[in-house]
């Protein structure tokens, strides 16, 4: 019955105790056969078990000693991994199309819409969505686990978004940075703002409880940079270590009275009842893509989509997005 069971990428990540980005990496390399059900990638239980058996065999081969006291054979030339070729053929047997997977990493819903448009523009390819904060997304790109990453990271010293972080993390990589949208970020406070929280230095007041975002998210970096510039110790803030993984979750905690303030984007404040939004900064939300020869065609498609009236019209119907510069090239290495 195992061949009748299939798993999502999230379930595979939990079963193997690896990140979902690593699962996508195994799928991209052909080491883990997969197929699509709608927009979701699935892996059959029999293929997962075969992958595990190959991995065990490879590990056992590495640790096996010489037989009968004979010297170890000369190491083989560093060709493709032993498990890669069988899984490439296994993927073909599943009827997978000859296109490639394009992993889009980030958390904003605009990326889901981008994936849909990219799927229409490049029907042979497979846009896949992975959800991670801005820093984690860039790190995933560095490790070859993502093809398109979104980022909204403020450098407090320069007041510049994204480019300082990209330059530091992607040293030696050829890449292009394209603007996607601008959106308002600030505080979620309880209705009527009973604590009078209107600026960053108000977070240091007695009796204020914060709810934070996870490490690596753009909202967390925004907060940490402001605290650093103001000389406010994070350890002095009540609730600094209370973390949530989305703007909606942060806004929800404030609405339920579990915190006085949280950091996020205006759009979530329009969805969650019982809170007010205090705008503080216009943040730039950019896309980063590596300029590999095999990426050239779809990079052009992404830029065309961002500039297209249809895409702008669809995103324009979502509150809080400024699309006036969508598709502009912000930075490009030679």
């Amino acid at each position: 019955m195992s061949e009748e069971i299939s798993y999502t990428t999230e379930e595979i990540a939990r079963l193997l105790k690896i990140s979902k980005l690593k699962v996508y990496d195994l799928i991209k390399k052909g080491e883990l056969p997969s197929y699509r059900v709608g927009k979701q990638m699935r892996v059959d239980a029999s293929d997962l078990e075969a992958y595990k058996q190959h991995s065990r065999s490879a590990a056992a081969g590495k640790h096996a000693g010489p037989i009968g006291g004979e010297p170890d054979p000369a190491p083989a030339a560093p060709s493709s991994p032993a498990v890669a070729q069988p899984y490439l053929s296994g993927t073909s047997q599943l009827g997978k199309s000859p296109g490639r997977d394009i992993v889009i990493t980030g958390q904003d819903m605009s990326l889901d819409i981008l994936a849909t448009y990219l799927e229409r523009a490049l029907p042979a390819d497979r846009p896949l969505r992975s959800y991670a904060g801005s820093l984690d997304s860039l790190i995933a790109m560095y490790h070859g686990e993502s093809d398109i990453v979104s980022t909204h990271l403020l450098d407090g010293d320069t007041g510049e978004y994204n480019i300082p972080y990209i330059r530091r993390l992607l040293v030696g990589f050829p890449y292009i940075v394209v603007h996607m949208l601008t959106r308002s970020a600030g505080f979620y406070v309880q209705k009527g703002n009973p604590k009078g929280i209107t600026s960053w230095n108000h977070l240091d007041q007695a009796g204020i409880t914060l709810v934070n975002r996870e490490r690596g998210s753009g909202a967390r970096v925004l907060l940490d940079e402001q605290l650093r510039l103001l000389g406010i110790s994070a350890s002095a803030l009540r609730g600094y270590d209370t973390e949530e993984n989305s703007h909606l979750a942060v806004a929800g905690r404030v609405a339920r009275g579990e915190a006085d303030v949280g950091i996020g984007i205006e759009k979530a404040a329009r969805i969650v009842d019982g809170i007010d939004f205090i705008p503080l900064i216009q943040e730039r939300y950019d896309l980063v893509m590596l300029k590999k020869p095999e990426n050239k065609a779809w990079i052009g498609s992404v830029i065309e989509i961002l500039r297209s009236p249809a895409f702008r019209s669809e995103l324009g119907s979502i509150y809080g997005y400024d699309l006036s510069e969508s598709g502009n090239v912000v930075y490009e290495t030679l």
Side-chain angles (χ1 to χ4, degrees):
M1 296 292 290
S2 62
E3 61 270 15
E4 298 178 7
I5 300 172
S6 66
Y7 299 106
T8 65
T9 52
E10 291 85 354
E11 290 168 336
I12 293 291
R14 287 196 296 270
L15 288 167
L16 296 181
K17 294 182 171 60
I18 59 177
S19 71
K20 194 167 76 168
L21 291 173
K22 181 62 177 176
V23 176
Y24 282 133
D25 190 44
L26 293 173
I27 291 173
K28 283 174 62 181
K29 292 177 179 176
E31 297 178 24
L32 192 59
S34 66
Y35 57 95
R36 301 188 72 182
V37 178
K39 296 182 180 180
Q40 193 176 64
M41 299 301 297
R42 306 286 300 192
V43 175
D44 282 339
S46 56
D47 289 321
L48 174 61
E49 186 59 30
Y51 167 76
K52 290 161 66 176
Q53 290 295 336
H54 275 281
S55 298
R56 292 190 191 105
S57 298
K62 286 181 180 179
H63 296 294
I67 300 174
E70 295 294 326
D72 289 330
S79 58
S80 58
V83 298
Q85 191 59 39
Y87 280 105
L88 284 170
S89 60
T91 301
S92 177
Q93 291 167 7
L94 286 170
K96 194 173 180 181
S97 63
R100 56 164 292 174
D101 296 330
I102 303 174
V103 180
I104 305 172
T105 306
Q107 296 177 321
D108 194 86
M109 69 167 57
S110 58
L111 300 175
D112 300 322
I113 299 173
L114 173 63
T116 300
Y117 275 77
L118 198 56
E119 188 171 32
R120 294 173 191 161
L122 302 171
D125 294 329
R126 295 166 296 275
L128 304 175
R129 285 286 285 114
S130 179
Y131 299 85
S134 292
L135 274 177
D136 289 340
S137 296
L138 285 173
I139 292 169
M141 174 166 277
Y142 178 86
H143 288 297
E145 296 173 338
S146 188
D147 301 296
I148 303 172
V149 305
S150 63
T151 178
H152 56 110
L153 297 166
L154 175 68
D155 178 64
D157 293 323
T158 63
E160 187 177 8
Y161 263 95
N162 302 323
I163 302 301
Y165 293 88
I166 298 167
R167 283 174 174 162
R168 289 196 290 267
L169 284 170
L170 297 182
V171 174
F173 288 83
Y175 56 83
I176 183 171
V177 183
V178 181
H179 183 65
M180 188 169 189
L181 57 90
T182 301
R183 60 190 190 182
S184 183
F187 291 151
Y188 305 133
V189 297
Q190 294 173 16
K191 204 69 176 176
N193 194 9
K195 297 291 181 73
I197 304 168
T198 58
S199 65
W200 297 104
N201 53 18
H202 287 168
L203 299 179
D204 199 25
Q205 294 179 354
I208 300 294
T209 300
L210 171 75
V211 56
N212 211 344
R213 282 294 303 276
E214 79 281 7
R215 293 182 184 276
S217 68
R220 176 67 166 261
V221 171
L222 174 61
L223 170 64
D224 288 344
E225 284 291 86
Q226 299 300 330
L227 296 180
R228 179 179 66 84
L229 293 173
L230 291 170
I232 298 175
S233 171
S235 61
L237 302 184
R238 187 167 63 185
Y240 179 85
D241 294 326
T242 303
E243 298 178 357
E244 291 289 353
N245 291 324
S246 71
H247 298 295
L248 287 174
V250 170
R253 282 219 178 205
V254 174
R256 294 191 298 271
E258 298 171 10
D260 300 304
V261 61
I263 292 87
I265 60 173
E266 186 174 9
K267 176 164 55 94
R270 293 270 172 161
I271 299 172
V272 178
D273 290 331
I275 62 171
D276 288 334
F277 179 75
I278 309 297
L280 295 173
I281 193 168
Q282 290 294 112
E283 62 176 18
R284 296 184 61 84
Y285 199 78
D286 297 329
L287 300 182
V288 189
M289 297 168 281
L290 295 184
K291 291 171 53 180
K292 298 179 181 178
E294 62 269 28
N295 294 352
K296 183 176 180 180
W298 62 254
I299 287 176
S301 294
V302 169
I303 295 174
E304 287 180 8
I305 290 168
L306 295 180
R307 294 174 178 175
S308 70
F311 182 78
R312 290 191 178 200
S313 175
E314 187 162 348
L315 257 67
S317 64
I318 302 172
Y319 183 85
Y321 289 157
D322 178 354
L323 307 171
S324 58
E325 299 180 36
S326 297
N328 288 356
V329 176
V330 178
Y331 187 84
E332 183 176 4
T333 60
L334 297 177

